[in-house]
Structures are given as structure tokens and as C-alpha cells.
């Protein structure tokens, strides 16, 4: 409300109450103090990475009621409707929103919207404040793009979240398995300790039982041993007395036997020893004489054998010398007479050869020649005589066919 009497320029700001105004004198205007909702929108704004994003938001603003700031708002917007005020504030917010989008990355805008909205509010508040407008709230409504960058980022984030979830599930299952194993181990440890205590108790009981049994057995054995020792002592005393009696008896028996030995010895000396010594002396003298006799006979026999050996050796030597001389003379005669000597040698050997050949016939009682013709017998004899030189040559090495006399005789015989 402005104006007054006498052209006064006085201005009065009234809100939440009433005031007097002169009709046709005072100028009265109204401005809305209600909250205004704005929806700033920035399309295809490039971020710090060059990705074009479209961002929409929601802002709640109102005119401030402080006197000074209300006066500023009235100077700026008095006479304008609410839509004009919204347009001014909306353009201011969108300008600051665009400038801040160019300084941030997509991840910062998309992942931390509250921080982004706070940053826009803090940057835009001084400018709208100088217009008497207060930003009550500012939030980011939506962020999207036309190249599917955010959807790819979301898929990546989803995969990361899924991976973290799988890792979390695996770790949880691992921890559960570990805890289950630890619980089983604790259970087994408790069971083992209980079993150990039970086994220790049983072992202690068995040891105590064994100790009692051992003590009872020891006492029983000691009593039995004491009884047996006492019985042995009594038996020893009885045996000792019996041995003393036997010793006395043995001493008496030994004395009697000694007297008997003396008597027997004297008797043997008188009846056996003295005659035996005389006989032994006689036999010894006879044996010594026989020994001397045998020695002399052996010496005589040895001398006899030696003499006979020497005589035989002399005879053998003389015979050897005579045989050697004979052979020498025979060899000289063979050398001198040649074929005649060989003939003599063959003639000497023929009887021996005939004897050797006829030796088997000496065991035959009768020989029967089965032949009806006497000429065949004659021919068989002639054949044998014809084969005789070959047999003699095979036996003696002398060829009778080369000796003129034998050859002539053989021819005449044939």
C-alpha cells in the first residue's frame, strides 16, 4: 500500500493482518506469499565426460516475509501474477542446474542425487534470494539419456551388486560351514573329553581293582609260602636227623669194611699176589728169550733175502748181456746176409703164426668136410696156400712173393 495525503510517498507492507487505506488516495497492491512448485528441466546437457543427459527436478519456493526481503520481492514482482514469478525463478534454477551438470560426471549425478540437489540449491539460493525468493526444497526427479549410458552403467552396477551378492552368499555359506564345523568340532571335543573321563574312570577302577587283587594274591601267596617254608623246615629237621643216623651207621659200616679189606688184602697177598709175581717173572724171562730169538731169525732171513737178491740180479744182468749180445750178433747177421736172414726170421715166425691160427681148432673134436668132389678139397687147399704170402705180409711186413725160394716153392706147389 502506497500513497497518502498531500502527495506523500509512504509505503507500508502488511502481511497476515489488515490496515486502513484511503479510497482514491492510497494505492493498494497484493502479492502471493503461497508456496510455488517449480519443475526445472534441462535436456541434452553434456556432463564433464561429454555425455548428454536430461535432468528433471522439483523445487519448492516462496516469497520471504522479512521486511527488507519482502520489500525487494515487491519491487521485483509487484504487479505480476504468480506464473510470471514462477518463470523468473524457474529460468534461474535451470541456468544454475545446467552450469553444475557441466562440472560433474554421470556417476556423481546418478549415484548421489541428494548431493547434486544440495549443490544446486546452495549455488542458486543467493541469486534467488536477492529477488526476495526462498528455496524451500530442491530434489532431482529423474536423470536419463538417449544413448543408454545409464542403462549400461546400471547393468554394470547390477552385475557388481550381483557379484557382491554372490560373494556375500558364498562367504555366508562358508562362514556357516566353518561355524558348523566348529560346532561339530566343539561337540566332538566335548564327546572326546567325556569319553576320556569315562575311560580314565574305568582305567582307575580297573587299576584299583587290580591293586586290590594283587594285594590279596600277595597276602595269599605269602601265607602259602610261609606254610610251605614251615613244612620245609620241619622236613629238613627230620631229614637232618635221618642223615645223622645214616652217617653213624655208615661210619660203623666203613669201619667193618676197612677191617674186611685188610683181611682180604692179607689173604690175597698170601694166596694170589706172591705166586702171580713169581709166574710173571718167569713169563717175562721166557718172553725176553723169545724176543731175542725172533730178532736173530729175522736178521738171518734178511741176510738170506739180500744174498738171493744179489744172486738173481747178477743172473739177470748176465742174461741181459747175453741177450743183448745175441741180438747184436743177429742184427749183424741180418745186415750181412740180407734176404737170407729175413727168410730165416720168417721161417722162425711161421710156426708161431700157425700155432696162433690153429689154436681155436684145438678145441674142436672133429672136422667134417662136406664135398662130393675131391678136386674141390684140393682147390680149397691151394687157395689157402696162395693167400698165405698176403697174410704173412700183413702180419710181419715180409713179402714172401719177392723171395726166390719161397716163390719157386709156392709155384711148384700150385
Amino acid at each position: 500500500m502506497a500513497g497518502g495525503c498531500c502527495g506523500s510517498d509512504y509505503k507500508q507492507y502488511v502481511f497476515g493482518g489488515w490496515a486502513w487505506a484511503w479510497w482514491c488516495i492510497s494505492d493498494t497492491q497484493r502479492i502471493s506469499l503461497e508456496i510455488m512448485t517449480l519443475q526445472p528441466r534441462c535436456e541434452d546437457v553434456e556432463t564433464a565426460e561429454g555425455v548428454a543427459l536430461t535432468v528433471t527436478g522439483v523445487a519448492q519456493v516462496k516469497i520471504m516475509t522479512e521486511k527488507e526481503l519482502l520489500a525487494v520481492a515487491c519491487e521485483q514482482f509487484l504487479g505480476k501474477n504468480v506464473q510470471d514469478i514462477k518463470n523468473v525463478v524457474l529460468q534461474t534454477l535451470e541456468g544454475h542446474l545446467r552450469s553444475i551438470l557441466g562440472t560433474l560426471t554421470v556417476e556423481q549425478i546418478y549415484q548421489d542425487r541428494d548431493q547434486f540437489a544440495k549443490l544446486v540449491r546452495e549455488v542458486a539460493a543467493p541469486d534467488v534470494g536477492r529477488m526476495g525468493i526462498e528455496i524451500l526444497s530442491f530434489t532431482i526427479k529423474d536423470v536419463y539419456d538417449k544413448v543408454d549410458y545409464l542403462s549400461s552403467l546400471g547393468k554394470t552396477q547390477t552385475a557388481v551388486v550381483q557379484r557382491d551378492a554372490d560373494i556375500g552368499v558364498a562367504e555366508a555359506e562358508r562362514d556357516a560351514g566353518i561355524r558348523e564345523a566348529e560346532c561339530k568340532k566343539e561337540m566332538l571335543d566335548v564327546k572326546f573329553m567325556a569319553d576320556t573321563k569315562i575311560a580314565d574312570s574305568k582305567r582307575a577302577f580297573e587299576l584299583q581293582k587290580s591293586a586290590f587283587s594283587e594285594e590279596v594274591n600277595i597276602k595269599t601267596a605269602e601265607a602259602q609260602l610261609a606254610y610251605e617254608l614251615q613244612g620245609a623246615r620241619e622236613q629238613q629237621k627230620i631229614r637232618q636227623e635221618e642223615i645223622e643216623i645214616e652217617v653213624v651207621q655208615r661210619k660203623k659200616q666203613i669201619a667193618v669194611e676197612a677191617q674186611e679189606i685188610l683181611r682180604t688184602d692179607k689173604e690175597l697177598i698170601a694166596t694170589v699176589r706172591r705166586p702171580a709175581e713169581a709166574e710173571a717173572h718167569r713169563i717175562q724171562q721166557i718172553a725176553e728169550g723169545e724176543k731175542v730169538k725172533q730178532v736173530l731169525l729175522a736178521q738171518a732171513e734178511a741176510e738170506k733175502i739180500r744174498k738171493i737178491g744179489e744172486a738173481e740180479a747178477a743172473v739177470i744182468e748176465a742174461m741181459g748181456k747175453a741177450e743183448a749180445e745175441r741180438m747184436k750178433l743177429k742184427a749183424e747177421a741180418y745186415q750181412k746176409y740180407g734176404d737170407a736172414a729175413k727168410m730165416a726170421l720168417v721161417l722162425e715166425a711161421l710156426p708161431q703164426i700157425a700155432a696162433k691160427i690153429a689154436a681155436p681148432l684145438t678145441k674142436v673134436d672133429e672136422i667134417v668136410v662136406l664135398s662130393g668132389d675131391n678136386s674141390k678139397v684140393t682147390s680149397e687147399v691151394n687157395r689157402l696156400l696162395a693167400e698165405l704170402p698176403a697174410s704173412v705180409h700183413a702180419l710181419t711186413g715180409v713179402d714172401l712173393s719177392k723171395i726166390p725160394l719161397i716163390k719157386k716153392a709156392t709155384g711148384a706147389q700150385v
Side-chain angles (χ1 to χ4, degrees):
M1 183 176 64
C5 296
C6 303
S8 175
D9 198 17
Y10 175 74
K11 295 179 180 180
Q12 184 181 1
Y13 302 96
V14 179
F15 65 92
W18 60 276
W20 292 98
W22 295 97
W23 182 71
C24 294
I25 296 175
S26 301
D27 185 13
T28 304
Q29 294 183 355
R30 295 176 181 274
I31 189 171
S32 177
L33 297 181
E34 64 182 4
I35 297 174
M36 294 174 286
T37 301
L38 306 177
Q39 294 184 351
R41 180 185 179 87
C42 296
E43 295 184 358
D44 299 331
V45 179
E46 291 186 358
T47 63
E49 296 176 342
V51 180
L53 294 179
T54 298
V55 180
T56 60
V58 177
Q60 305 293 335
V61 298
K62 67 181 290 292
I63 297 175
M64 292 183 288
T65 58
E66 286 82 359
K67 186 176 181 179
E68 295 178 355
L69 297 175
L70 181 59
V72 172
C74 289
E75 290 178 358
Q76 298 289 334
F77 301 112
L78 195 61
K80 296 181 180 181
N81 57 29
V82 176
Q83 187 63 40
D84 293 335
I85 298 172
K86 287 182 177 181
N87 290 334
V88 172
V89 178
L90 180 61
Q91 291 177 3
T92 303
L93 289 176
E94 288 179 350
H96 287 292
L97 183 58
R98 285 177 178 275
S99 63
I100 293 172
L101 282 173
T103 62
L104 299 176
T105 63
V106 178
E107 287 79 5
Q108 291 174 338
I109 296 170
Y110 185 77
Q111 295 177 358
D112 198 355
R113 296 187 180 188
D114 292 339
Q115 183 65 26
F116 174 51
K118 181 180 179 181
L119 183 60
V120 173
R121 186 169 61 249
E122 290 176 352
V123 172
D127 290 341
V128 296
R130 284 191 291 271
M131 292 184 292
I133 303 298
E134 179 184 5
I135 300 175
L136 299 178
S137 67
F138 180 82
T139 58
I140 300 300
K141 183 179 180 182
D142 195 7
V143 177
Y144 60 91
D145 67 311
K146 297 179 181 179
V147 294
D148 295 333
Y149 183 88
L150 291 175
S151 62
S152 300
L153 185 64
K155 291 179 181 178
T156 304
Q157 186 65 25
T158 302
V160 172
V161 172
Q162 184 65 33
R163 181 198 65 192
D164 294 340
D166 294 339
I167 293 173
V169 171
E171 291 178 349
E173 291 178 354
R174 179 199 64 191
D175 295 339
I178 292 173
R179 184 57 185 165
E180 183 179 0
E182 291 177 350
C183 292
K184 288 183 179 179
K185 181 178 179 298
E186 292 177 357
M187 180 187 70
L188 292 175
D189 291 340
V190 172
K191 184 176 181 299
F192 176 74
M193 293 177 64
D195 294 341
T196 303
K197 290 181 179 179
I198 293 172
D200 290 340
S201 299
K202 288 183 178 179
R203 183 172 59 83
F205 172 75
E206 294 295 335
L207 289 174
Q208 190 68 28
K209 182 178 178 181
S210 299
F212 290 155
S213 299
E214 183 179 0
E215 186 176 356
V216 171
N217 293 332
I218 290 173
K219 295 297 183 182
T220 303
E222 289 177 352
Q224 183 67 26
L225 182 61
Y227 173 76
E228 292 177 356
L229 287 174
Q230 186 63 32
R233 291 192 187 98
E234 296 297 329
Q235 292 293 330
Q236 186 176 8
K237 290 179 180 180
I238 295 172
R239 182 56 182 165
Q240 187 175 0
E241 292 178 356
E242 291 177 351
I243 290 172
E244 289 178 355
I245 295 172
E246 291 177 357
V247 168
V248 172
Q249 293 177 351
R250 186 59 180 166
K251 287 180 178 179
K252 293 181 179 180
Q253 185 177 358
I254 289 171
V256 173
E257 290 177 354
Q259 295 296 327
E260 181 65 21
I261 289 171
L262 290 175
R263 186 190 66 79
T264 304
D265 190 21
K266 291 179 179 180
E267 183 179 355
L268 289 174
I269 290 172
T271 59
V272 178
R273 183 175 179 183
R274 296 294 172 80
E277 289 178 352
E279 183 64 20
H281 181 70
R282 185 182 67 82
I283 294 172
Q284 182 178 2
Q285 294 297 323
I286 294 171
E288 288 179 356
E290 187 67 23
K291 178 180 178 182
V292 173
K293 178 182 177 181
Q294 293 296 330
V295 169
L296 294 175
L297 290 174
Q299 290 176 354
E301 185 66 22
E303 184 64 21
K304 174 183 176 182
I305 293 171
R306 186 178 65 80
K307 295 294 185 180
I308 293 172
E310 289 177 354
E312 290 178 352
V315 171
I316 292 171
E317 182 180 2
M319 290 176 65
K321 288 180 179 181
E323 183 65 21
E325 186 65 23
R326 186 180 70 83
M327 293 297 293
K328 180 179 178 182
L329 294 175
K330 184 183 290 187
E332 290 176 352
Y334 290 161
Q335 185 69 26
K336 182 177 180 180
Y337 295 106
D339 294 337
K342 294 179 179 179
M343 184 61 186
L345 180 61
V346 171
L347 294 176
E348 290 179 0
L350 283 177
Q352 297 178 3
I353 294 171
K356 294 293 183 180
I357 294 172
L361 298 177
T362 59
K363 299 179 180 181
V364 178
D365 294 334
E366 183 179 357
I367 296 175
V368 178
V369 178
L370 298 175
S371 176
D373 192 356
N374 293 330
S375 60
K376 288 186 178 180
V377 176
T378 304
S379 62
E380 288 295 329
V381 172
N382 291 332
R383 186 180 61 81
L384 291 175
L385 291 175
E387 292 178 356
L388 181 62
S391 299
V392 172
H393 183 268
L395 293 173
T396 62
V398 178
D399 190 0
L400 297 178
S401 62
K402 295 180 179 180
I403 299 174
L405 180 60
I406 297 300
K407 184 175 182 182
K408 183 178 180 181
T410 305
Q413 181 68 32
V414 174

